[in-house]
Amino acid sequence: MSFEKDRTVRELFRAATHQDMTKRLRTAEDFERYGKIRKETHARIQAENQAFAREYDERMNEARQAVLRERTGYRLEHPSPPGMPHVSDTTALDKMADARVHRDHDARIDAIYKDETDQLNALREAIRERDAPTQAAKRAFGQSYERKGPTREN
């Protein structure tokens, strides 16, 4: 699955999760907790995007150094295969570093959304437990269901 399709599926799943959650919310406390989760996630996403824009050059330098360390660690006695970028090729190095920086940024964003999903699942479970019938009610229903009334005989 391509990166864009994968991202689209995740966004659709997240939208469906939020739609399902809004149907389950019953009390003011539920709405408040849901709103707090959404605001916190939004704030964390904004902070990460701002940090990404602010620290992009620094992250690129670190990624270049990491790529250089990885690439120069493999010293073989024969030349590189054709088509493989050389370490001295700065455009190839910049492309690899840029891909790494964006991949790390996307991983941080995905981790934030995973935290949000975990919090929403905890809220959903709390709502389900609160709204579930008690064991006494289940037992009473089970006893009343098992009783057999008078039967008509022909």
Side-chain angles (χ1 to χ4, degrees):
M1 186 180 293
S2 74
F3 178 73
E4 289 300 319
K5 288 180 184 176
D6 187 41
R7 175 160 286 195
T8 303
V9 168
R10 279 185 272 160
E11 288 173 2
L12 286 172
F13 178 75
R14 198 167 40 253
T17 300
H18 286 291
Q19 186 177 14
D20 179 60
M21 276 306 300
T22 56
K23 291 178 184 176
R24 294 176 186 267
L25 302 175
R26 300 280 186 257
T27 65
E29 181 182 311
D30 294 342
F31 281 100
E32 183 178 315
R33 189 169 164 196
Y34 175 74
K36 183 179 176 186
I37 292 169
R38 294 288 307 257
K39 286 178 186 175
E40 179 184 315
T41 300
H42 183 69
R44 289 176 64 194
I45 293 292
Q46 278 188 330
E48 173 56 33
N49 286 334
Q50 289 171 355
F52 178 74
R54 185 178 56 247
E55 301 168 357
Y56 179 77
D57 292 334
E58 181 182 329
R59 292 181 185 189
M60 276 294 289
N61 288 333
E62 290 174 6
R64 278 188 202 105
Q65 294 300 319
V67 169
L68 280 173
R69 277 194 306 273
E70 290 171 4
R71 303 285 297 161
T72 57
Y74 299 104
R75 290 288 182 188
L76 302 175
E77 298 301 323
H78 53 82
S80 298
M84 189 168 185
H86 297 285
V87 174
S88 61
D89 186 8
T90 57
T91 57
L93 178 64
D94 286 344
K95 285 181 183 179
M96 288 188 271
D98 186 62
R100 179 180 291 225
V101 168
H102 280 87
R103 188 175 54 242
D104 291 346
H105 173 68
D106 290 338
R108 285 186 200 95
I109 296 291
D110 289 342
I112 292 169
Y113 282 132
K114 184 177 180 331
D115 288 345
E116 177 191 41
T117 302
D118 292 344
Q119 290 175 359
L120 290 175
N121 286 339
L123 175 60
R124 180 183 293 120
E125 185 64 25
I127 291 171
R128 189 185 67 76
E129 286 177 7
R130 183 191 66 217
D131 294 344
T134 62
Q135 292 298 327
K138 284 183 181 179
R139 231 181 335 298
F141 178 77
Q143 290 172 353
S144 67
Y145 182 72
E146 291 174 2
R147 285 190 219 143
K148 297 206 188 245
T151 58
R152 197 181 326 171
E153 294 186 47
N154 295 338

